[in-house]
């Protein structure tokens, strides 16, 4: 067998099989070249990436199953609650599902119901370059079954799925606002850098009760009574940008799970008046006039 024929037979071999093949051939030194060594490294890396992809797909499938189960339980609880209220007050059942069926979106909003992982971002980038992008990523928590009274009612995404979104294509100049949870600060800064942004500021939302007291929540070491939104900037200021006219602290009543304060939208619109605004991972309660809102729960 010629050396050319020997080298051509190496193509389908991977890692251990490749090494075994080399050991079983008497003339291995004749064709063990720097190219073969590099090929081994690439094949090994490919195997590692394939295994990682399989793990992520399993995690996503597990999260989808958990989400479906939680949603079913939530709907059942809402029906039961509606029946109880109807029996007590003698009124028809006005559960949340029914209220969403009669929901009317703001007249000038642009809702796009889509899976953000498969959405055609390139087409959107060609159609519009945004001045402000707002994101409330469904960060994956350390555990799928959080304790201390925390109930998760939405699908979570692994970090890799969020950071692979092509945010950098949607904006040449402007700001990105990213809501973060306590254990995702470092990852959020890493994503900003990857997308081409520089961290410039942050906004603190101090949660309040209906009586204007601090609304304490659950936490591992301390009770959480605030949330943070990081602000990044890319390129130049967008047209009409206003400087130093707004506070970086929002005092506002605590809302439903994952619902952020209305004041943030007013703050963004004050920072960049008459801008082109985009929100990613939005829900129906996020719809707002003159905003493009993309999410799979619209």
């Amino acid at each position: 067998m010629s050396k050319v024929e020997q080298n051509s037979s190496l193509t389908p071999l991977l890692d251990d099989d490749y090494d075994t093949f080399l050991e079983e051939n008497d003339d291995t030194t004749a064709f063990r070249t720097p190219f073969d060594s590099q090929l081994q490294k690439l094949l090994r890396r490919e195997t590692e990436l394939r295994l990682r992809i399989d793990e992520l797909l399993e995690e996503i499938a597990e999260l989808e199953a958990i989400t479906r189960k939680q949603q079913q339980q939530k709907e059942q609880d809402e029906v039961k609650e509606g029946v109880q209220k109807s029996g007590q007050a003698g009124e028809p059942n006005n559960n949340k599902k029914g209220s969403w069926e009669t929901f009317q979106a703001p007249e000038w909003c642009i809702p796009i119901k889509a899976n953000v992982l498969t959405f055609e971002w390139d087409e959107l980038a060609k159609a519009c370059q945004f001045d402000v992008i707002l994101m409330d990523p469904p960060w994956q928590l350390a555990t799928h079954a959080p304790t201390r009274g925390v109930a998760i009612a939405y699908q979570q995404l692994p970090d890799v799925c969020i950071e692979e979104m092509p945010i950098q294509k949607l904006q040449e100049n402007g700001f990105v606002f990213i809501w973060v949870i306590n254990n995702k600060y470092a990852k959020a800064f890493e994503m900003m850098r990857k997308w081409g942004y520089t961290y410039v500021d942050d906004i603190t939302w101090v949660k309040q009760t209906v009586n204007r007291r601090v609304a304490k929540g659950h936490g591992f070491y301390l009770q959480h009574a605030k949330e943070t939104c990081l602000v990044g900037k890319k390129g130049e200021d967008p047209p009409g940008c206003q400087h130093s006219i707004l506070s970086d602290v929002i005092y506002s009543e605590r809302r439903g799970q994952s619902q952020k304060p209305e004041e943030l939208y007013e703050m963004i619109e004050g920072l960049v008046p008459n801008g082109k605004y985009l929100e990613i991972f939005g829900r129906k309660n996020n719809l707002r006039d003159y905003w493009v809102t993309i999410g799979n729960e619209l």
Side-chain angles (χ1 to χ4, degrees), residues 97-210:
K97 185 176 180 180
S99 65
W100 280 127
E101 290 175 352
T102 59
F103 173 80
Q104 291 187 348
E107 183 177 2
W108 303 107
C109 72
I110 305 176
I112 302 176
K113 183 176 182 179
N115 184 338
V116 297
L117 301 182
T118 58
F119 183 68
E120 296 181 354
W121 295 107
D122 288 341
E123 296 300 318
L124 180 62
K126 292 177 184 178
C128 182
Q129 288 289 294
F130 294 92
D131 298 315
V132 178
I133 299 174
L134 171 62
M135 302 175 62
D136 184 13
W139 300 106
Q140 182 173 307
L141 303 180
T143 171
H144 298 325
T147 57
R148 303 185 304 280
V150 179
I152 303 301
Y154 53 87
Q155 182 177 351
Q156 303 170 48
L157 287 179
D159 295 344
V160 66
C161 294
I162 301 171
E163 65 184 339
E164 288 303 317
M165 295 173 61
I167 303 301
Q168 67 277 7
K169 296 182 179 181
L170 302 172
Q171 191 174 62
E172 294 182 359
N173 302 290
F175 298 95
V176 64
F177 291 72
I178 306 177
W179 286 102
V180 293
I181 57 178
N182 279 11
N183 66 335
K184 295 297 182 181
Y185 278 84
K187 175 55 67 174
F189 286 125
E190 180 183 326
M191 289 180 181
M192 275 192 184
R193 289 191 296 270
K194 179 175 180 178
W195 293 332
Y197 292 89
T198 301
Y199 165 77
V200 294
D201 222 324
D202 61 75
I203 298 167
T204 299
W205 169 29
V206 179
K207 301 180 181 180
Q208 296 180 315
T209 67
V210 293

Side-chain angles (χ1 to χ4, degrees), residues 17-285:
D17 292 336
Y18 181 74
D19 293 334
T20 303
F21 177 81
L22 292 177
E23 293 172 359
E24 292 176 351
N25 284 269
D26 297 332
D27 196 24
T28 55
T29 56
F31 57 83
R32 186 185 288 274
T33 67
F35 170 80
D36 297 321
S37 177
Q38 184 64 22
L39 178 61
Q40 271 191 287
K41 293 179 181 179
L42 291 174
L43 291 172
R44 185 175 295 108
R45 180 57 178 163
E46 179 186 15
T47 302
E48 293 173 353
L49 290 174
R50 289 182 181 278
L51 290 174
R52 180 55 179 158
I53 290 172
D54 290 340
E55 291 175 357
L56 291 173
L57 290 174
E58 290 179 1
E59 289 185 15
I60 292 174
E62 181 181 351
L63 290 171
E64 289 177 343
I66 293 174
T67 300
R68 286 194 298 270
K69 184 176 180 181
Q70 291 175 337
Q71 185 62 31
Q72 292 173 355
Q73 184 61 48
K74 184 179 178 182
E75 291 178 357
Q76 293 174 2
D77 292 342
E78 288 174 350
V79 170
K80 290 179 181 178
E81 182 180 355
V83 170
Q84 291 175 352
K85 289 182 178 179
S86 176
Q88 293 173 356
E91 298 176 352
N93 177 17
N94 295 319
N95 57 48
K96 185 177 181 180
K97 185 176 180 180
S99 65
W100 280 127
E101 290 175 352
T102 59
F103 173 80
Q104 291 187 348
E107 183 177 2
W108 303 107
C109 72
I110 305 176
I112 302 176
K113 183 176 182 179
N115 184 338
V116 297
L117 301 182
T118 58
F119 183 68
E120 296 181 354
W121 295 107
D122 288 341
E123 296 300 318
L124 180 62
K126 292 177 184 178
C128 182
Q129 288 289 294
F130 294 92
D131 298 315
V132 178
I133 299 174
L134 171 62
M135 302 175 62
D136 184 13
W139 300 106
Q140 182 173 307
L141 303 180
T143 171
H144 298 325
T147 57
R148 303 185 304 280
V150 179
I152 303 301
Y154 53 87
Q155 182 177 351
Q156 303 170 48
L157 287 179
D159 295 344
V160 66
C161 294
I162 301 171
E163 65 184 339
E164 288 303 317
M165 295 173 61
I167 303 301
Q168 67 277 7
K169 296 182 179 181
L170 302 172
Q171 191 174 62
E172 294 182 359
N173 302 290
F175 298 95
V176 64
F177 291 72
I178 306 177
W179 286 102
V180 293
I181 57 178
N182 279 11
N183 66 335
K184 295 297 182 181
Y185 278 84
K187 175 55 67 174
F189 286 125
E190 180 183 326
M191 289 180 181
M192 275 192 184
R193 289 191 296 270
K194 179 175 180 178
W195 293 332
Y197 292 89
T198 301
Y199 165 77
V200 294
D201 222 324
D202 61 75
I203 298 167
T204 299
W205 169 29
V206 179
K207 301 180 181 180
Q208 296 180 315
T209 67
V210 293
N211 297 320
R212 313 303 290 177
R213 296 181 179 179
V214 174
K216 299 177 182 178
H218 298 278
F220 193 82
Y221 292 108
L222 303 174
Q223 293 181 332
H224 296 166
K226 66 175 180 63
E227 289 193 38
T228 301
C229 183
L230 303 179
V231 185
K233 180 174 174 289
K234 179 182 179 184
E236 303 296 328
D237 288 349
C241 180
Q242 304 295 308
H243 287 242
S244 193
I245 62 171
L246 302 165
S247 171
D248 60 355
V249 180
I250 297 173
Y251 293 93
S252 180
E253 184 179 333
R254 179 174 55 190
R255 292 159 170 78
Q257 184 166 346
S258 192
Q259 290 188 22
K260 299 304 187 287
E262 188 82 7
E263 289 84 347
L264 179 66
Y265 298 93
E266 299 171 357
M267 183 179 295
I268 290 174
E269 293 167 358
L271 176 67
V272 186
N274 303 313
K276 298 175 182 177
Y277 313 114
L278 170 66
E279 180 168 11
I280 305 174
F281 300 110
R283 295 184 174 89
K284 289 184 178 180
N285 60 274

